[in-house]
């Protein structure tokens, strides 16, 4: 660990992001920065992921949210970003596209299952659930999450469960969690310029469908 380097990097990004915040909101972003530094001391976070969390946190803070990072939301789940405003709350999970070496031969299936499992697991703990990814990434969003639960085909739900069951067995993803999962938006993060753009799921799927079809991947 290099605590001084980590502290300098997150401080530099916090100062950069603070220029676009109201003066009263800067302390909220500093709170997130201090949370990340504390977690780094415990070897719980890494710099790349922490920078992404700061950028997303800044976006939410600018819209009136109070933000915490790496928050426990159940006995087994820790979310990247948890934010509250008024009576509503939102969770953002950041995905960088990394897959472990043991899935070198089934990278896309593994990544798709991870995305689907996150929507199913995390969205039950908030009023709005979003995914976020660097602008260079591509998330395989299943079109089933564009439909309300009562319009979802049972066979399609089962196909997603079957895929998730290949990778998540302890605990498994429940059928009803997939059926009732909701995805509010996807954030595209521009790391270099320090901002995140929020897209609705349909807009994101329209943007990426051609690229996914070219790789002959359909979920």
């Amino acid at each position: 660990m290099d605590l001084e380097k980590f502290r300098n990097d997150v401080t530099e990004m916090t100062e950069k992001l603070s220029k676009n915040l109201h003066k009263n909101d800067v302390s909220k972003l500093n709170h997130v920065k201090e949370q990340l530094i504390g977690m780094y001391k415990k070897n719980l976070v890494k710099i790349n992921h922490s920078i992404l969390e700061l950028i997303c946190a800044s976006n939410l803070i600018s819209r009136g949210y109070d933000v915490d990072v790496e928050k426990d939301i159940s006995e087994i789940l820790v979310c990247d970003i948890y934010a509250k405003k008024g009576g509503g709350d939102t969770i953002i999970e950041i995905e960088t596209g990394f897959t472990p070496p043991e899935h070198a031969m089934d990278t896309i299936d593994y990544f798709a299952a991870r995305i689907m499992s996150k929507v199913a697991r995390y969205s039950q703990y908030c009023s709005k659930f979003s995914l976020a990814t660097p602008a260079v990434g591509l998330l395989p969003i299943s079109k089933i999450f564009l439909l309300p639960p009562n319009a979802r085909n049972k066979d399609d739900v089962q196909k997603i469960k079957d895929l998730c069951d290949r990778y998540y067995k302890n605990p498994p993803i429940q059928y009803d969690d997939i059926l009732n999962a909701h995805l509010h938006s996807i954030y595209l993060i521009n790391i270099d310029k320090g901002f995140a753009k929020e897209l609705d799921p349909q807009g994101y799927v329209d943007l990426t469908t051609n690229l996914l079809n070219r790789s002959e991947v359909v979920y």
Side-chain angles (χ1 to χ4, degrees), residues 2-27:
D2 188 339
L3 179 59
E4 183 177 0
K5 177 68 163 59
F6 182 91
R7 189 191 301 274
N8 289 341
D9 285 348
V10 295
T11 298
E12 180 180 346
M13 179 55 76
T14 299
E15 291 175 351
K16 178 179 180 179
L17 296 169
S18 295
K19 295 177 181 178
N20 297 317
L21 294 176
H22 292 299
K23 186 176 181 179
N24 293 339
D25 288 333
V26 172
S27 62

mmCIF file with all atom_site columns, all heavy atoms in Angstrom, residues 2-27:
data_model
loop_
_atom_site.group_PDB
_atom_site.id
_atom_site.type_symbol
_atom_site.label_atom_id
_atom_site.label_alt_id
_atom_site.label_comp_id
_atom_site.label_asym_id
_atom_site.label_entity_id
_atom_site.label_seq_id
_atom_site.pdbx_PDB_ins_code
_atom_site.Cartn_x
_atom_site.Cartn_y
_atom_site.Cartn_z
_atom_site.occupancy
_atom_site.B_iso_or_equiv
_atom_site.pdbx_formal_charge
_atom_site.auth_seq_id
_atom_site.auth_comp_id
_atom_site.auth_asym_id
_atom_site.auth_atom_id
_atom_site.pdbx_PDB_model_num
ATOM 1   N N   . ASP A 1 2  ? 0.402   2.275  -0.692  1.00 0.00 ? 2  ASP A N   1
ATOM 2   C CA  . ASP A 1 2  ? 1.080   3.560  -0.706  1.00 0.00 ? 2  ASP A CA  1
ATOM 3   C C   . ASP A 1 2  ? 0.044   4.604  -0.307  1.00 0.00 ? 2  ASP A C   1
ATOM 4   O O   . ASP A 1 2  ? -0.621  5.211  -1.151  1.00 0.00 ? 2  ASP A O   1
ATOM 5   C CB  . ASP A 1 2  ? 1.639   3.838  -2.103  1.00 0.00 ? 2  ASP A CB  1
ATOM 6   C CG  . ASP A 1 2  ? 2.516   5.089  -2.120  1.00 0.00 ? 2  ASP A CG  1
ATOM 7   O OD1 . ASP A 1 2  ? 2.382   5.923  -1.210  1.00 0.00 ? 2  ASP A OD1 1
ATOM 8   O OD2 . ASP A 1 2  ? 3.311   5.230  -3.071  1.00 0.00 ? 2  ASP A OD2 1
ATOM 9   N N   . LEU A 1 3  ? -0.110  4.786  1.003   1.00 0.00 ? 3  LEU A N   1
ATOM 10  C CA  . LEU A 1 3  ? -1.156  5.661  1.521   1.00 0.00 ? 3  LEU A CA  1
ATOM 11  C C   . LEU A 1 3  ? -0.983  7.095  1.043   1.00 0.00 ? 3  LEU A C   1
ATOM 12  O O   . LEU A 1 3  ? -1.967  7.764  0.686   1.00 0.00 ? 3  LEU A O   1
ATOM 13  C CB  . LEU A 1 3  ? -1.188  5.602  3.051   1.00 0.00 ? 3  LEU A CB  1
ATOM 14  C CG  . LEU A 1 3  ? -2.218  6.500  3.741   1.00 0.00 ? 3  LEU A CG  1
ATOM 15  C CD1 . LEU A 1 3  ? -3.623  6.176  3.278   1.00 0.00 ? 3  LEU A CD1 1
ATOM 16  C CD2 . LEU A 1 3  ? -2.091  6.372  5.258   1.00 0.00 ? 3  LEU A CD2 1
ATOM 17  N N   . GLU A 1 4  ? 0.234   7.583  1.016   1.00 0.00 ? 4  GLU A N   1
ATOM 18  C CA  . GLU A 1 4  ? 0.464   8.971  0.605   1.00 0.00 ? 4  GLU A CA  1
ATOM 19  C C   . GLU A 1 4  ? 0.046   9.199  -0.842  1.00 0.00 ? 4  GLU A C   1
ATOM 20  O O   . GLU A 1 4  ? -0.599  10.200 -1.172  1.00 0.00 ? 4  GLU A O   1
ATOM 21  C CB  . GLU A 1 4  ? 1.939   9.340  0.790   1.00 0.00 ? 4  GLU A CB  1
ATOM 22  C CG  . GLU A 1 4  ? 2.234   10.792 0.446   1.00 0.00 ? 4  GLU A CG  1
ATOM 23  C CD  . GLU A 1 4  ? 3.686   11.171 0.691   1.00 0.00 ? 4  GLU A CD  1
ATOM 24  O OE1 . GLU A 1 4  ? 4.459   10.296 1.130   1.00 0.00 ? 4  GLU A OE1 1
ATOM 25  O OE2 . GLU A 1 4  ? 4.038   12.334 0.434   1.00 0.00 ? 4  GLU A OE2 1
ATOM 26  N N   . LYS A 1 5  ? 0.380   8.241  -1.729  1.00 0.00 ? 5  LYS A N   1
ATOM 27  C CA  . LYS A 1 5  ? 0.001   8.355  -3.139  1.00 0.00 ? 5  LYS A CA  1
ATOM 28  C C   . LYS A 1 5  ? -1.524  8.303  -3.273  1.00 0.00 ? 5  LYS A C   1
ATOM 29  O O   . LYS A 1 5  ? -2.119  9.092  -4.023  1.00 0.00 ? 5  LYS A O   1
ATOM 30  C CB  . LYS A 1 5  ? 0.630   7.214  -3.936  1.00 0.00 ? 5  LYS A CB  1
ATOM 31  C CG  . LYS A 1 5  ? 0.245   7.189  -5.422  1.00 0.00 ? 5  LYS A CG  1
ATOM 32  C CD  . LYS A 1 5  ? 0.847   8.371  -6.163  1.00 0.00 ? 5  LYS A CD  1
ATOM 33  C CE  . LYS A 1 5  ? 0.832   8.168  -7.681  1.00 0.00 ? 5  LYS A CE  1
ATOM 34  N NZ  . LYS A 1 5  ? -0.500  7.957  -8.244  1.00 0.00 ? 5  LYS A NZ  1
ATOM 35  N N   . PHE A 1 6  ? -2.161  7.392  -2.559  1.00 0.00 ? 6  PHE A N   1
ATOM 36  C CA  . PHE A 1 6  ? -3.615  7.280  -2.614  1.00 0.00 ? 6  PHE A CA  1
ATOM 37  C C   . PHE A 1 6  ? -4.260  8.579  -2.128  1.00 0.00 ? 6  PHE A C   1
ATOM 38  O O   . PHE A 1 6  ? -5.162  9.120  -2.768  1.00 0.00 ? 6  PHE A O   1
ATOM 39  C CB  . PHE A 1 6  ? -4.093  6.109  -1.751  1.00 0.00 ? 6  PHE A CB  1
ATOM 40  C CG  . PHE A 1 6  ? -5.582  5.890  -1.788  1.00 0.00 ? 6  PHE A CG  1
ATOM 41  C CD1 . PHE A 1 6  ? -6.142  5.034  -2.727  1.00 0.00 ? 6  PHE A CD1 1
ATOM 42  C CD2 . PHE A 1 6  ? -6.427  6.528  -0.885  1.00 0.00 ? 6  PHE A CD2 1
ATOM 43  C CE1 . PHE A 1 6  ? -7.517  4.826  -2.769  1.00 0.00 ? 6  PHE A CE1 1
ATOM 44  C CE2 . PHE A 1 6  ? -7.793  6.327  -0.919  1.00 0.00 ? 6  PHE A CE2 1
ATOM 45  C CZ  . PHE A 1 6  ? -8.337  5.474  -1.863  1.00 0.00 ? 6  PHE A CZ  1
ATOM 46  N N   . ARG A 1 7  ? -3.792  9.077  -0.982  1.00 0.00 ? 7  ARG A N   1
ATOM 47  C CA  . ARG A 1 7  ? -4.354  10.302 -0.427  1.00 0.00 ? 7  ARG A CA  1
ATOM 48  C C   . ARG A 1 7  ? -4.194  11.474 -1.404  1.00 0.00 ? 7  ARG A C   1
ATOM 49  O O   . ARG A 1 7  ? -5.119  12.266 -1.601  1.00 0.00 ? 7  ARG A O   1
ATOM 50  C CB  . ARG A 1 7  ? -3.671  10.635 0.909   1.00 0.00 ? 7  ARG A CB  1
ATOM 51  C CG  . ARG A 1 7  ? -4.348  11.784 1.672   1.00 0.00 ? 7  ARG A CG  1
ATOM 52  C CD  . ARG A 1 7  ? -3.471  12.231 2.832   1.00 0.00 ? 7  ARG A CD  1
ATOM 53  N NE  . ARG A 1 7  ? -3.207  11.140 3.763   1.00 0.00 ? 7  ARG A NE  1
ATOM 54  C CZ  . ARG A 1 7  ? -4.017  10.810 4.770   1.00 0.00 ? 7  ARG A CZ  1
ATOM 55  N NH1 . ARG A 1 7  ? -5.136  11.482 4.966   1.00 0.00 ? 7  ARG A NH1 1
ATOM 56  N NH2 . ARG A 1 7  ? -3.684  9.811  5.576   1.00 0.00 ? 7  ARG A NH2 1
ATOM 57  N N   . ASN A 1 8  ? -3.026  11.578 -2.017  1.00 0.00 ? 8  ASN A N   1
ATOM 58  C CA  . ASN A 1 8  ? -2.791  12.665 -2.967  1.00 0.00 ? 8  ASN A CA  1
ATOM 59  C C   . ASN A 1 8  ? -3.707  12.570 -4.184  1.00 0.00 ? 8  ASN A C   1
ATOM 60  O O   . ASN A 1 8  ? -4.244  13.580 -4.660  1.00 0.00 ? 8  ASN A O   1
ATOM 61  C CB  . ASN A 1 8  ? -1.328  12.661 -3.417  1.00 0.00 ? 8  ASN A CB  1
ATOM 62  C CG  . ASN A 1 8  ? -0.373  13.103 -2.326  1.00 0.00 ? 8  ASN A CG  1
ATOM 63  O OD1 . ASN A 1 8  ? -0.776  13.734 -1.354  1.00 0.00 ? 8  ASN A OD1 1
ATOM 64  N ND2 . ASN A 1 8  ? 0.898   12.770 -2.478  1.00 0.00 ? 8  ASN A ND2 1
ATOM 65  N N   . ASP A 1 9  ? -3.892  11.349 -4.689  1.00 0.00 ? 9  ASP A N   1
ATOM 66  C CA  . ASP A 1 9  ? -4.719  11.168 -5.884  1.00 0.00 ? 9  ASP A CA  1
ATOM 67  C C   . ASP A 1 9  ? -6.187  11.490 -5.601  1.00 0.00 ? 9  ASP A C   1
ATOM 68  O O   . ASP A 1 9  ? -6.841  12.187 -6.393  1.00 0.00 ? 9  ASP A O   1
ATOM 69  C CB  . ASP A 1 9  ? -4.585  9.743  -6.409  1.00 0.00 ? 9  ASP A CB  1
ATOM 70  C CG  . ASP A 1 9  ? -3.255  9.499  -7.116  1.00 0.00 ? 9  ASP A CG  1
ATOM 71  O OD1 . ASP A 1 9  ? -2.552  10.490 -7.387  1.00 0.00 ? 9  ASP A OD1 1
ATOM 72  O OD2 . ASP A 1 9  ? -2.928  8.329  -7.377  1.00 0.00 ? 9  ASP A OD2 1
ATOM 73  N N   . VAL A 1 10 ? -6.730  10.960 -4.505  1.00 0.00 ? 10 VAL A N   1
ATOM 74  C CA  . VAL A 1 10 ? -8.150  11.229 -4.225  1.00 0.00 ? 10 VAL A CA  1
ATOM 75  C C   . VAL A 1 10 ? -8.362  12.695 -3.835  1.00 0.00 ? 10 VAL A C   1
ATOM 76  O O   . VAL A 1 10 ? -9.420  13.278 -4.132  1.00 0.00 ? 10 VAL A O   1
ATOM 77  C CB  . VAL A 1 10 ? -8.716  10.287 -3.133  1.00 0.00 ? 10 VAL A CB  1
ATOM 78  C CG1 . VAL A 1 10 ? -8.717  8.842  -3.618  1.00 0.00 ? 10 VAL A CG1 1
ATOM 79  C CG2 . VAL A 1 10 ? -7.960  10.421 -1.811  1.00 0.00 ? 10 VAL A CG2 1
ATOM 80  N N   . THR A 1 11 ? -7.359  13.311 -3.213  1.00 0.00 ? 11 THR A N   1
ATOM 81  C CA  . THR A 1 11 ? -7.463  14.733 -2.884  1.00 0.00 ? 11 THR A CA  1
ATOM 82  C C   . THR A 1 11 ? -7.456  15.577 -4.153  1.00 0.00 ? 11 THR A C   1
ATOM 83  O O   . THR A 1 11 ? -8.241  16.526 -4.291  1.00 0.00 ? 11 THR A O   1
ATOM 84  C CB  . THR A 1 11 ? -6.307  15.161 -1.955  1.00 0.00 ? 11 THR A CB  1
ATOM 85  O OG1 . THR A 1 11 ? -6.405  14.434 -0.726  1.00 0.00 ? 11 THR A OG1 1
ATOM 86  C CG2 . THR A 1 11 ? -6.373  16.658 -1.665  1.00 0.00 ? 11 THR A CG2 1
ATOM 87  N N   . GLU A 1 12 ? -6.584  15.226 -5.094  1.00 0.00 ? 12 GLU A N   1
ATOM 88  C CA  . GLU A 1 12 ? -6.523  15.965 -6.363  1.00 0.00 ? 12 GLU A CA  1
ATOM 89  C C   . GLU A 1 12 ? -7.854  15.866 -7.104  1.00 0.00 ? 12 GLU A C   1
ATOM 90  O O   . GLU A 1 12 ? -8.364  16.869 -7.632  1.00 0.00 ? 12 GLU A O   1
ATOM 91  C CB  . GLU A 1 12 ? -5.393  15.418 -7.236  1.00 0.00 ? 12 GLU A CB  1
ATOM 92  C CG  . GLU A 1 12 ? -5.257  16.126 -8.571  1.00 0.00 ? 12 GLU A CG  1
ATOM 93  C CD  . GLU A 1 12 ? -4.130  15.577 -9.433  1.00 0.00 ? 12 GLU A CD  1
ATOM 94  O OE1 . GLU A 1 12 ? -3.277  14.826 -8.893  1.00 0.00 ? 12 GLU A OE1 1
ATOM 95  O OE2 . GLU A 1 12 ? -4.105  15.896 -10.636 1.00 0.00 ? 12 GLU A OE2 1
ATOM 96  N N   . MET A 1 13 ? -8.428  14.658 -7.167  1.00 0.00 ? 13 MET A N   1
ATOM 97  C CA  . MET A 1 13 ? -9.703  14.502 -7.863  1.00 0.00 ? 13 MET A CA  1
ATOM 98  C C   . MET A 1 13 ? -10.827 15.220 -7.115  1.00 0.00 ? 13 MET A C   1
ATOM 99  O O   . MET A 1 13 ? -11.698 15.851 -7.734  1.00 0.00 ? 13 MET A O   1
ATOM 100 C CB  . MET A 1 13 ? -10.042 13.020 -8.027  1.00 0.00 ? 13 MET A CB  1
ATOM 101 C CG  . MET A 1 13 ? -11.379 12.762 -8.728  1.00 0.00 ? 13 MET A CG  1
ATOM 102 S SD  . MET A 1 13 ? -11.534 13.553 -10.367 1.00 0.00 ? 13 MET A SD  1
ATOM 103 C CE  . MET A 1 13 ? -10.510 12.465 -11.365 1.00 0.00 ? 13 MET A CE  1
ATOM 104 N N   . THR A 1 14 ? -10.806 15.165 -5.785  1.00 0.00 ? 14 THR A N   1
ATOM 105 C CA  . THR A 1 14 ? -11.834 15.852 -5.000  1.00 0.00 ? 14 THR A CA  1
ATOM 106 C C   . THR A 1 14 ? -11.783 17.356 -5.245  1.00 0.00 ? 14 THR A C   1
ATOM 107 O O   . THR A 1 14 ? -12.824 18.009 -5.410  1.00 0.00 ? 14 THR A O   1
ATOM 108 C CB  . THR A 1 14 ? -11.645 15.559 -3.499  1.00 0.00 ? 14 THR A CB  1
ATOM 109 O OG1 . THR A 1 14 ? -11.764 14.151 -3.279  1.00 0.00 ? 14 THR A OG1 1
ATOM 110 C CG2 . THR A 1 14 ? -12.698 16.290 -2.666  1.00 0.00 ? 14 THR A CG2 1
ATOM 111 N N   . GLU A 1 15 ? -10.600 17.921 -5.282  1.00 0.00 ? 15 GLU A N   1
ATOM 112 C CA  . GLU A 1 15 ? -10.456 19.358 -5.538  1.00 0.00 ? 15 GLU A CA  1
ATOM 113 C C   . GLU A 1 15 ? -10.931 19.715 -6.951  1.00 0.00 ? 15 GLU A C   1
ATOM 114 O O   . GLU A 1 15 ? -11.571 20.760 -7.156  1.00 0.00 ? 15 GLU A O   1
ATOM 115 C CB  . GLU A 1 15 ? -9.005  19.775 -5.341  1.00 0.00 ? 15 GLU A CB  1
ATOM 116 C CG  . GLU A 1 15 ? -8.560  19.713 -3.877  1.00 0.00 ? 15 GLU A CG  1
ATOM 117 C CD  . GLU A 1 15 ? -7.082  19.999 -3.698  1.00 0.00 ? 15 GLU A CD  1
ATOM 118 O OE1 . GLU A 1 15 ? -6.362  20.072 -4.724  1.00 0.00 ? 15 GLU A OE1 1
ATOM 119 O OE2 . GLU A 1 15 ? -6.641  20.134 -2.535  1.00 0.00 ? 15 GLU A OE2 1
ATOM 120 N N   . LYS A 1 16 ? -10.649 18.842 -7.898  1.00 0.00 ? 16 LYS A N   1
ATOM 121 C CA  . LYS A 1 16 ? -11.089 19.071 -9.275  1.00 0.00 ? 16 LYS A CA  1
ATOM 122 C C   . LYS A 1 16 ? -12.609 19.049 -9.359  1.00 0.00 ? 16 LYS A C   1
ATOM 123 O O   . LYS A 1 16 ? -13.235 19.926 -9.977  1.00 0.00 ? 16 LYS A O   1
ATOM 124 C CB  . LYS A 1 16 ? -10.486 18.000 -10.192 1.00 0.00 ? 16 LYS A CB  1
ATOM 125 C CG  . LYS A 1 16 ? -10.902 18.105 -11.648 1.00 0.00 ? 16 LYS A CG  1
ATOM 126 C CD  . LYS A 1 16 ? -10.217 17.016 -12.466 1.00 0.00 ? 16 LYS A CD  1
ATOM 127 C CE  . LYS A 1 16 ? -10.612 17.090 -13.931 1.00 0.00 ? 16 LYS A CE  1
ATOM 128 N NZ  . LYS A 1 16 ? -9.926  16.039 -14.742 1.00 0.00 ? 16 LYS A NZ  1
ATOM 129 N N   . LEU A 1 17 ? -13.230 18.069 -8.727  1.00 0.00 ? 17 LEU A N   1
ATOM 130 C CA  . LEU A 1 17 ? -14.686 17.932 -8.763  1.00 0.00 ? 17 LEU A CA  1
ATOM 131 C C   . LEU A 1 17 ? -15.383 19.026 -7.968  1.00 0.00 ? 17 LEU A C   1
ATOM 132 O O   . LEU A 1 17 ? -16.483 19.457 -8.312  1.00 0.00 ? 17 LEU A O   1
ATOM 133 C CB  . LEU A 1 17 ? -15.090 16.557 -8.219  1.00 0.00 ? 17 LEU A CB  1
ATOM 134 C CG  . LEU A 1 17 ? -14.624 15.342 -9.025  1.00 0.00 ? 17 LEU A CG  1
ATOM 135 C CD1 . LEU A 1 17 ? -14.851 14.060 -8.231  1.00 0.00 ? 17 LEU A CD1 1
ATOM 136 C CD2 . LEU A 1 17 ? -15.361 15.271 -10.359 1.00 0.00 ? 17 LEU A CD2 1
ATOM 137 N N   . SER A 1 18 ? -14.750 19.496 -6.912  1.00 0.00 ? 18 SER A N   1
ATOM 138 C CA  . SER A 1 18 ? -15.345 20.504 -6.039  1.00 0.00 ? 18 SER A CA  1
ATOM 139 C C   . SER A 1 18 ? -15.578 21.831 -6.757  1.00 0.00 ? 18 SER A C   1
ATOM 140 O O   . SER A 1 18 ? -16.440 22.623 -6.358  1.00 0.00 ? 18 SER A O   1
ATOM 141 C CB  . SER A 1 18 ? -14.463 20.733 -4.805  1.00 0.00 ? 18 SER A CB  1
ATOM 142 O OG  . SER A 1 18 ? -14.411 19.570 -4.000  1.00 0.00 ? 18 SER A OG  1
ATOM 143 N N   . LYS A 1 19 ? -14.819 22.088 -7.809  1.00 0.00 ? 19 LYS A N   1
ATOM 144 C CA  . LYS A 1 19 ? -14.976 23.334 -8.557  1.00 0.00 ? 19 LYS A CA  1
ATOM 145 C C   . LYS A 1 19 ? -16.355 23.440 -9.197  1.00 0.00 ? 19 LYS A C   1
ATOM 146 O O   . LYS A 1 19 ? -16.811 24.550 -9.514  1.00 0.00 ? 19 LYS A O   1
ATOM 147 C CB  . LYS A 1 19 ? -13.881 23.434 -9.624  1.00 0.00 ? 19 LYS A CB  1
ATOM 148 C CG  . LYS A 1 19 ? -12.477 23.546 -9.057  1.00 0.00 ? 19 LYS A CG  1
ATOM 149 C CD  . LYS A 1 19 ? -11.437 23.561 -10.162 1.00 0.00 ? 19 LYS A CD  1
ATOM 150 C CE  . LYS A 1 19 ? -10.020 23.639 -9.583  1.00 0.00 ? 19 LYS A CE  1
ATOM 151 N NZ  . LYS A 1 19 ? -8.980  23.603 -10.647 1.00 0.00 ? 19 LYS A NZ  1
ATOM 152 N N   . ASN A 1 20 ? -17.005 22.284 -9.411  1.00 0.00 ? 20 ASN A N   1
ATOM 153 C CA  . ASN A 1 20 ? -18.333 22.282 -10.043 1.00 0.00 ? 20 ASN A CA  1
ATOM 154 C C   . ASN A 1 20 ? -19.466 22.116 -9.026  1.00 0.00 ? 20 ASN A C   1
ATOM 155 O O   . ASN A 1 20 ? -20.609 21.922 -9.413  1.00 0.00 ? 20 ASN A O   1
ATOM 156 C CB  . ASN A 1 20 ? -18.403 21.152 -11.077 1.00 0.00 ? 20 ASN A CB  1
ATOM 157 C CG  . ASN A 1 20 ? -17.407 21.342 -12.208 1.00 0.00 ? 20 ASN A CG  1
ATOM 158 O OD1 . ASN A 1 20 ? -17.246 22.451 -12.707 1.00 0.00 ? 20 ASN A OD1 1
ATOM 159 N ND2 . ASN A 1 20 ? -16.741 20.271 -12.598 1.00 0.00 ? 20 ASN A ND2 1
ATOM 160 N N   . LEU A 1 21 ? -19.128 22.180 -7.745  1.00 0.00 ? 21 LEU A N   1
ATOM 161 C CA  . LEU A 1 21 ? -20.130 22.044 -6.692  1.00 0.00 ? 21 LEU A CA  1
ATOM 162 C C   . LEU A 1 21 ? -20.379 23.382 -6.017  1.00 0.00 ? 21 LEU A C   1
ATOM 163 O O   . LEU A 1 21 ? -19.500 24.254 -5.977  1.00 0.00 ? 21 LEU A O   1
ATOM 164 C CB  . LEU A 1 21 ? -19.659 21.037 -5.638  1.00 0.00 ? 21 LEU A CB  1
ATOM 165 C CG  . LEU A 1 21 ? -19.520 19.572 -6.064  1.00 0.00 ? 21 LEU A CG  1
ATOM 166 C CD1 . LEU A 1 21 ? -18.952 18.756 -4.900  1.00 0.00 ? 21 LEU A CD1 1
ATOM 167 C CD2 . LEU A 1 21 ? -20.850 18.991 -6.522  1.00 0.00 ? 21 LEU A CD2 1
ATOM 168 N N   . HIS A 1 22 ? -21.585 23.525 -5.462  1.00 0.00 ? 22 HIS A N   1
ATOM 169 C CA  . HIS A 1 22 ? -21.849 24.669 -4.608  1.00 0.00 ? 22 HIS A CA  1
ATOM 170 C C   . HIS A 1 22 ? -20.973 24.571 -3.361  1.00 0.00 ? 22 HIS A C   1
ATOM 171 O O   . HIS A 1 22 ? -20.633 23.474 -2.910  1.00 0.00 ? 22 HIS A O   1
ATOM 172 C CB  . HIS A 1 22 ? -23.320 24.709 -4.211  1.00 0.00 ? 22 HIS A CB  1
ATOM 173 C CG  . HIS A 1 22 ? -24.244 25.000 -5.359  1.00 0.00 ? 22 HIS A CG  1
ATOM 174 N ND1 . HIS A 1 22 ? -24.188 26.167 -6.082  1.00 0.00 ? 22 HIS A ND1 1
ATOM 175 C CD2 . HIS A 1 22 ? -25.247 24.261 -5.899  1.00 0.00 ? 22 HIS A CD2 1
ATOM 176 C CE1 . HIS A 1 22 ? -25.116 26.148 -7.035  1.00 0.00 ? 22 HIS A CE1 1
ATOM 177 N NE2 . HIS A 1 22 ? -25.768 25.000 -6.943  1.00 0.00 ? 22 HIS A NE2 1
ATOM 178 N N   . LYS A 1 23 ? -20.629 25.722 -2.818  1.00 0.00 ? 23 LYS A N   1
ATOM 179 C CA  . LYS A 1 23 ? -19.720 25.765 -1.673  1.00 0.00 ? 23 LYS A CA  1
ATOM 180 C C   . LYS A 1 23 ? -20.206 24.881 -0.530  1.00 0.00 ? 23 LYS A C   1
ATOM 181 O O   . LYS A 1 23 ? -19.413 24.181 0.120   1.00 0.00 ? 23 LYS A O   1
ATOM 182 C CB  . LYS A 1 23 ? -19.562 27.208 -1.197  1.00 0.00 ? 23 LYS A CB  1
ATOM 183 C CG  . LYS A 1 23 ? -18.535 27.381 -0.098  1.00 0.00 ? 23 LYS A CG  1
ATOM 184 C CD  . LYS A 1 23 ? -18.358 28.851 0.253   1.00 0.00 ? 23 LYS A CD  1
ATOM 185 C CE  . LYS A 1 23 ? -17.307 29.032 1.353   1.00 0.00 ? 23 LYS A CE  1
ATOM 186 N NZ  . LYS A 1 23 ? -17.116 30.472 1.692   1.00 0.00 ? 23 LYS A NZ  1
ATOM 187 N N   . ASN A 1 24 ? -21.519 24.867 -0.283  1.00 0.00 ? 24 ASN A N   1
ATOM 188 C CA  . ASN A 1 24 ? -22.066 24.087 0.824   1.00 0.00 ? 24 ASN A CA  1
ATOM 189 C C   . ASN A 1 24 ? -21.989 22.574 0.591   1.00 0.00 ? 24 ASN A C   1
ATOM 190 O O   . ASN A 1 24 ? -22.153 21.795 1.528   1.00 0.00 ? 24 ASN A O   1
ATOM 191 C CB  . ASN A 1 24 ? -23.522 24.483 1.085   1.00 0.00 ? 24 ASN A CB  1
ATOM 192 C CG  . ASN A 1 24 ? -23.658 25.896 1.614   1.00 0.00 ? 24 ASN A CG  1
ATOM 193 O OD1 . ASN A 1 24 ? -22.703 26.454 2.149   1.00 0.00 ? 24 ASN A OD1 1
ATOM 194 N ND2 . ASN A 1 24 ? -24.834 26.487 1.440   1.00 0.00 ? 24 ASN A ND2 1
ATOM 195 N N   . ASP A 1 25 ? -21.768 22.180 -0.671  1.00 0.00 ? 25 ASP A N   1
ATOM 196 C CA  . ASP A 1 25 ? -21.731 20.753 -0.997  1.00 0.00 ? 25 ASP A CA  1
ATOM 197 C C   . ASP A 1 25 ? -20.315 20.171 -0.970  1.00 0.00 ? 25 ASP A C   1
ATOM 198 O O   . ASP A 1 25 ? -20.149 18.952 -1.025  1.00 0.00 ? 25 ASP A O   1
ATOM 199 C CB  . ASP A 1 25 ? -22.342 20.506 -2.385  1.00 0.00 ? 25 ASP A CB  1
ATOM 200 C CG  . ASP A 1 25 ? -23.847 20.692 -2.397  1.00 0.00 ? 25 ASP A CG  1
ATOM 201 O OD1 . ASP A 1 25 ? -24.460 20.496 -1.326  1.00 0.00 ? 25 ASP A OD1 1
ATOM 202 O OD2 . ASP A 1 25 ? -24.396 21.022 -3.465  1.00 0.00 ? 25 ASP A OD2 1
ATOM 203 N N   . VAL A 1 26 ? -19.318 21.015 -0.909  1.00 0.00 ? 26 VAL A N   1
ATOM 204 C CA  . VAL A 1 26 ? -17.933 20.531 -0.942  1.00 0.00 ? 26 VAL A CA  1
ATOM 205 C C   . VAL A 1 26 ? -17.649 19.618 0.246   1.00 0.00 ? 26 VAL A C   1
ATOM 206 O O   . VAL A 1 26 ? -16.939 18.610 0.119   1.00 0.00 ? 26 VAL A O   1
ATOM 207 C CB  . VAL A 1 26 ? -16.950 21.719 -0.969  1.00 0.00 ? 26 VAL A CB  1
ATOM 208 C CG1 . VAL A 1 26 ? -15.512 21.225 -0.816  1.00 0.00 ? 26 VAL A CG1 1
ATOM 209 C CG2 . VAL A 1 26 ? -17.101 22.505 -2.268  1.00 0.00 ? 26 VAL A CG2 1
ATOM 210 N N   . SER A 1 27 ? -18.214 19.948 1.399   1.00 0.00 ? 27 SER A N   1
ATOM 211 C CA  . SER A 1 27 ? -17.978 19.123 2.586   1.00 0.00 ? 27 SER A CA  1
ATOM 212 C C   . SER A 1 27 ? -18.536 17.712 2.406   1.00 0.00 ? 27 SER A C   1
ATOM 213 O O   . SER A 1 27 ? -17.997 16.751 2.960   1.00 0.00 ? 27 SER A O   1
ATOM 214 C CB  . SER A 1 27 ? -18.598 19.771 3.828   1.00 0.00 ? 27 SER A CB  1
ATOM 215 O OG  . SER A 1 27 ? -20.003 19.893 3.690   1.00 0.00 ? 27 SER A OG  1
#
